[in-house]
Amino acid sequence: MNPLRAPWSLRELVTGSAGGALRRSRERIAETEPALRAWVELAWPEPVAGGPLGGVPLGVKDIIDVAGLPTRCGSGLRAGSPPAAADAAIVTAWRRAGAVPVGKTVTTEFAFFSPGPTDNPSAPGHTPGGSSSGSAAAVASGQVPLALGSQTAGSVIRPASFCGVAAMVLSHGRFPVDGVTGLSPSLDSHGFYTARVSDLALAHAALTGSPDAAGLPARPPRLLLWTGIAGPAMRAALAVARDRLVTAGAVVEAFPDERLIAELTAAHPVVMAYEAARERAAELARVAELSAPLANLLQTGARTPEAEYRRAREFVRSAASAVSDFLGSYDAILGPAAPGPPPEGLAGTGDPVLSRPWQALGVPQVAVPGLSTEDGLPLGVQLIGRAQEETGLLTTACWVERALAE
């Protein structure tokens, strides 16, 4: 048995008592952090109660401001940053829901590819993914029951798949990004991690005031199956998932236009690079001090003609209309959350390619854990829904989670 993996259910915590949660979190971090290295800063506030979450410990990705803590963005350029004067808007919203930030979690440099030191608690010696690596590992290890990430390409969904936990990316623009060091204004979205999908539903309800999707009536869903460029292990897992869902009563039909999604996938990095070069202009001016992946992104974006960027944005807009039409009589799109299991080693973070098309559209996504390779490495699937319809997507995801577990 792997002693580093012990996801902590938010629902079990909140429906019991959140009393003592900070102490439990502190003890688990002390026990596992020397091996995992998921945090860059810890700060233990006085226990507080209030809000629907009642004082649960919260990890915050280190590109998101927390008052009193520095935001270093995983970069030497921010090594001497002073503490943030105020919380980011999204942190304020989570505090209002009753969550208590206990520290900053490891991110790749400015939420791009250069990895931090974090190991994968579900597959030690394999990457936890990026860029929200610290938050995913903190939840998978049971250091905290809830942690924040952000996604511009695949920075929430891929780490969830690699670490074997649940995660949700909110619709683009669902909450403001004030106080977040972003890369691409038209792509940056908020996300969060929990142990299971039913915990995501509880957290989303607490954050937004929406109904708890885990308690809503759910019928077997109608799903469109998209396979993308999944590798052999993930394709086998998708086949298993499809069979279990159909057996449980779901309708699963092939996505009608995989070529459209491939073209959407190709448009995403054009938009990302162009906007990143302008959003991170100050860092571009110090490009020699950046990691090679980030330097290449910013330099590529600086060379990208505006006309190419506008064509990519226009293609995304037309594709959004087509995908919305495809979803007309379906509840969600089912697909792989990553090309395969977490790659071995900590020098890379894996490939975000299977999140790029959905992130370009700005639609909500849910990573559903529970599948694995024959030798036990995590494999996650994802569900993609309609923009601004998070509660409906979570209702479907809760049904899928239960069916996969049977």
Side-chain angles (χ1 to χ4, degrees):
M1 183 177 178
N2 175 8
L4 292 178
R5 177 175 169 79
W8 180 5
S9 171
L10 180 67
R11 185 172 296 276
E12 291 173 6
L13 171 63
V14 172
T15 56
S17 169
L22 289 177
R23 176 181 51 78
R24 173 175 166 177
S25 178
R26 187 185 296 115
E27 290 174 355
R28 182 62 176 163
I29 289 173
E31 178 185 5
T32 57
E33 183 61 7
L36 289 182
R37 294 185 290 177
W39 300 84
V40 294
E41 193 84 28
L42 286 164
W44 295 105
E46 292 297 318
V48 296
L53 296 181
V56 303
L58 173 74
V60 181
K61 181 179 180 177
D62 195 27
I63 64 166
I64 303 171
D65 287 350
V66 173
L69 298 178
T71 305
R72 299 193 180 102
C73 302
S75 175
L77 296 187
R78 298 290 179 92
S81 295
D87 285 336
I90 191 66
V91 173
T92 299
W94 281 106
R95 282 193 198 271
R96 191 177 301 123
V100 179
V102 298
K104 308 296 287 291
T105 56
V106 167
T107 176
T108 57
E109 187 182 33
F110 287 101
F112 205 55
F113 278 106
S114 183
T118 307
D119 203 346
N120 186 333
S122 300
H126 295 70
T127 176
S131 63
S132 308
S133 49
S135 287
V139 168
S141 64
Q143 292 180 335
V144 287
L146 177 65
L148 305 190
S150 67
Q151 179 155 298
T152 307
S155 298
V156 169
I157 297 297
R158 180 168 92 264
S161 180
F162 287 174
C163 292
V165 293
M168 178 166 211
V169 176
L170 296 167
S171 298
H172 179 71
R174 181 65 179 81
F175 283 88
V177 291
D178 304 47
V180 178
T181 304
L183 270 178
S184 175
S186 70
L187 299 172
D188 296 338
S189 297
H190 294 294
F192 56 98
Y193 294 91
T194 61
R196 303 185 307 228
V197 176
S198 62
D199 300 312
L200 292 179
L202 186 150
H204 179 260
L207 177 67
T208 65
S210 304
D212 183 346
L216 295 177
R219 54 169 173 71
R222 292 175 56 82
L223 303 171
L224 287 171
L225 178 62
W226 164 76
T227 57
I229 59 163
M234 183 59 82
R235 283 182 177 270
L238 276 176
V240 169
R242 179 189 179 282
D243 290 347
R244 289 183 188 174
L245 297 178
V246 170
T247 299
V251 173
V252 183
E253 298 178 349
F255 190 85
D257 192 349
E258 294 248 357
R259 180 177 176 181
L260 174 74
I261 304 306
E263 292 175 353
L264 193 53
T265 302
H268 174 279
V270 176
V271 175
M272 183 172 176
Y274 182 91
E275 293 188 358
R278 286 143 186 88
E279 187 74 1
R280 301 264 61 86
E283 286 75 23
L284 178 58
R286 302 174 63 180
V287 70
E289 301 172 66
L290 299 174
S291 61
L294 183 59
N296 183 57
L297 173 76
L298 300 184
Q299 289 171 323
T300 298
R303 292 193 301 268
T304 300
E306 182 178 349
E308 183 179 351
Y309 166 72
R310 293 192 178 283
R311 281 196 298 274
R313 289 293 304 273
E314 182 55 35
F315 181 79
V316 170
R317 278 190 284 272
S318 65
S321 176
V323 171
S324 179
D325 289 344
F326 292 149
L327 271 171
S329 59
Y330 295 87
D331 296 290
I333 298 166
L334 169 69
E344 189 170 5
L346 305 182
T349 64
D351 191 338
V353 65
L354 295 176
S355 290
R356 287 187 186 275
W358 318 115
Q359 200 59 27
L361 297 179
V363 294
Q365 302 144 62
V366 171
V368 183
L371 301 173
S372 63
T373 63
E374 291 182 355
D375 53 355
L377 295 175
L379 291 166
V381 297
Q382 64 174 321
L383 291 164
I384 300 104
R386 299 178 184 83
Q388 310 299 330
E389 294 188 13
E390 278 85 353
T391 299
L393 180 62
L394 282 166
T395 302
T396 299
C398 287
W399 189 96
V400 167
E401 181 179 58
R402 289 192 294 269
L404 292 181
E406 292 176 352

